[in-house]
Amino acid sequence: MCGIVGCLKLANGVDWVTEQTNLIHYRGPDSQIVKSITPELVMGVARLAMTDPHPRSNQPMIDAETGNALSFNGEIYNHLDIRKELKSSGETEEWSGSSDTESLLVGFSKWGIRATVERCIGMFAFAVWDRETNVLTLARDRLGEKPLYYGWQGQGRAASLLFGSELSALKAHPVFTANINRDALCLMMRHSAIAAPHSIYQDIWKLPPGHLLTVSMARKEPIVESYWSLSEVAESGVAAPFRGGDVEAVETLESLLKDAISKQMMADVPLGAFLSGGIDSSTVVALMQAQSSRPIKTFTIGFNEDSYNEAVHARAVAEYLGTDHTELYVTPQQALEVIPQLPRLYSEPFSDSSQIPTYLVSHLAHSEVT
């Protein structure tokens, strides 16, 4: 994962955004870069290089032709298909690298932001500055896999629009007020999480999944619009349901899953998978292993208490599939030591009971894969 942060209209912006970017360096240890895009806008990116690790693909990335600037967190799995479409449409673009960030920037200049995003298959949160219109656009993927917070803070001439991947980065800015959103507390008690567009802080929002936001110094009130709707997809599925039999349904599902997983396996760095031994993760790993010439690296957290332990099932699946398997049995003390870190890890209240083992298995995997 990467981390992005930025601020629109501020004094001494580079210094503050540099500090904000340093706070999320663990999201992107490969480079931390801050750029003054305009006198009013500063962007910072902590980059984890998944494709084209070369410095030419560092961010924020600026389009040499248009001057548009992009800070991007995520992966566009079909970005090579997007490049092919650009070429087939008569574009003779000479690419400087092979990153999906550059694919996005060129798509924005040729098709526009919305038309490009509608073509994208992936997980993402990004901020792009259009130099011609002086408009900042924020975007989030269809299901909200990547986080994106934003909001105006400060009063009068000090008012600034802050945006970024984590609340911890936003809080580092001096205009951030950190007033608790009491409505969000009610949502937390009711749903065990604070759903978009709300956040735990007043006047700080999550961009909803499948949405674009535009804002500028000339029009400070953000305009948020949907580019994809889950309800519309569900309604279209009900209106035109799958007509095949059981065998066709199985074959179609397998084909879709294989295609999705093969796209997500495209990377220039080592990949792996979490394996619990359940149906979901076992299916994903099986389809990964079927499309790999070498053993897939898999990772599992185990517990000495039998009622909580899934590691035995995961090990059986790993042995059957022939993966390169690593497991860690967690002691009560290890789990307790994670608890003080939870506010930093999750930015705001979050009650999923798996948050401790999720951190531990991620920490385990980090030693071997990106």
Side-chain angles (χ1 to χ4, degrees), residues 276-293:
S276 70
I279 293 173
D280 296 346
S281 65
S282 298
T283 300
V284 169
V285 170
L287 293 173
M288 287 180 71
Q289 190 60 71
Q291 300 177 83
S292 175
S293 60

Side-chain angles (χ1 to χ4, degrees), residues 308-362:
Y308 293 100
N309 188 33
E310 297 178 324
V312 175
H313 306 296
R315 189 184 313 123
V317 172
E319 290 175 355
Y320 179 78
L321 295 175
T323 71
D324 180 3
H325 191 58
T326 301
E327 61 183 29
L328 171 68
Y329 271 76
V330 178
T331 66
Q333 184 59 37
Q334 285 175 301
L336 287 170
E337 289 172 355
V338 175
I339 293 175
Q341 303 182 56
L342 294 179
R344 177 183 61 82
L345 293 173
Y346 295 102
S347 288
E348 56 184 345
F350 176 60
S351 296
D352 191 326
S353 60
S354 69
Q355 58 184 301
I356 293 176
T358 296
Y359 166 76
L360 290 170
V361 74
S362 299

Side-chain angles (χ1 to χ4, degrees), residues 1-5 20-34 43-61 70-75 79 83 96-103 146 165 267-269 366 370:
M1 63 180 177
C2 300
I4 67 172
V5 67
Q20 291 174 289
T21 304
N22 289 338
L23 284 171
I24 55 173
H25 74 278
Y26 69 93
R27 296 182 68 97
D30 295 319
S31 70
Q32 292 87 46
I33 296 175
V34 174
M43 289 180 172
V45 177
R47 183 187 180 210
L48 178 69
M50 297 297 292
T51 59
D52 196 13
H54 193 278
R56 67 192 169 205
S57 293
N58 284 346
Q59 304 175 48
M61 184 179 289
L70 174 63
S71 295
F72 169 58
N73 170 29
E75 291 182 79
H79 84 99
R83 291 192 176 199
S96 62
S98 57
S99 72
D100 44 3
T101 308
E102 186 182 7
S103 301
K146 293 299 183 183
S165 300
D268 298 324
V269 292
H366 179 64
T370 304

Side-chain angles (χ1 to χ4, degrees), residues 59-307:
Q59 304 175 48
M61 184 179 289
I62 298 178
D63 189 317
E65 180 180 332
T66 65
N68 296 341
L70 174 63
S71 295
F72 169 58
N73 170 29
E75 291 182 79
I76 307 300
Y77 304 126
N78 66 329
H79 84 99
L80 295 179
D81 295 331
I82 289 174
R83 291 192 176 199
K84 289 178 182 177
E85 186 178 353
L86 286 164
K87 183 178 180 179
S88 66
S89 64
E91 303 298 339
T92 56
E93 184 74 34
E94 291 189 8
W95 303 93
S96 62
S98 57
S99 72
D100 44 3
T101 308
E102 186 182 7
S103 301
L104 281 176
L105 263 178
V106 176
F108 295 159
S109 67
K110 306 305 180 185
W111 298 320
I113 295 173
R114 179 173 182 134
T116 302
V117 169
E118 289 174 341
R119 287 171 164 86
C120 290
I121 299 172
M123 53 179 182
F124 54 85
F126 65 73
V128 59
W129 176 257
D130 188 310
R131 189 181 69 171
E132 182 178 354
T133 62
N134 289 325
V135 170
L136 176 70
T137 299
L138 306 182
R140 196 172 178 205
D141 61 67
R142 290 169 176 80
L143 295 181
E145 290 187 63
K146 293 299 183 183
L148 188 54
Y149 296 89
Y150 72 93
W152 283 98
Q153 295 280 282
Q155 301 295 323
R157 295 171 62 91
S160 299
L161 179 78
L162 309 180
F163 58 90
S165 300
E166 291 190 13
L167 287 172
S168 59
L170 272 62
K171 288 173 65 178
H173 195 277
V175 299
F176 194 92
T177 55
N179 294 323
I180 296 298
N181 180 353
R182 293 185 178 274
D183 291 336
L185 288 177
C186 294
L187 292 171
M188 174 64 195
M189 299 301 292
R190 179 176 296 176
H191 302 294
S192 297
I194 301 170
H198 306 280
S199 87
I200 190 61
Y201 295 114
Q202 286 183 12
D203 301 319
I204 296 293
W205 310 92
K206 300 183 188 80
L207 184 63
H211 281 68
L212 299 168
L213 176 151
T214 56
V215 66
S216 68
M217 293 310 302
R219 193 202 67 241
K220 295 183 180 180
E221 185 64 28
I223 295 177
V224 180
E225 61 176 343
S226 169
Y227 68 85
W228 184 86
S229 167
L230 177 59
S231 61
E232 289 178 3
V233 172
E235 289 168 3
S236 66
V238 172
F242 182 77
R243 299 296 184 184
D246 292 349
V247 173
E248 291 175 287
V250 170
E251 292 175 346
T252 301
L253 177 59
E254 182 175 5
S255 176
L256 288 169
L257 289 172
K258 287 177 68 176
D259 178 65
I261 288 170
S262 67
K263 283 185 170 68
Q264 296 189 38
M265 290 173 67
M266 293 177 61
D268 298 324
V269 292
L271 299 178
F274 298 154
L275 180 60
S276 70
I279 293 173
D280 296 346
S281 65
S282 298
T283 300
V284 169
V285 170
L287 293 173
M288 287 180 71
Q289 190 60 71
Q291 300 177 83
S292 175
S293 60
R294 63 184 64 183
I296 294 294
K297 290 183 178 293
T298 52
F299 303 88
T300 296
I301 290 292
F303 299 93
N304 292 310
E305 295 77 12
D306 291 340
S307 58

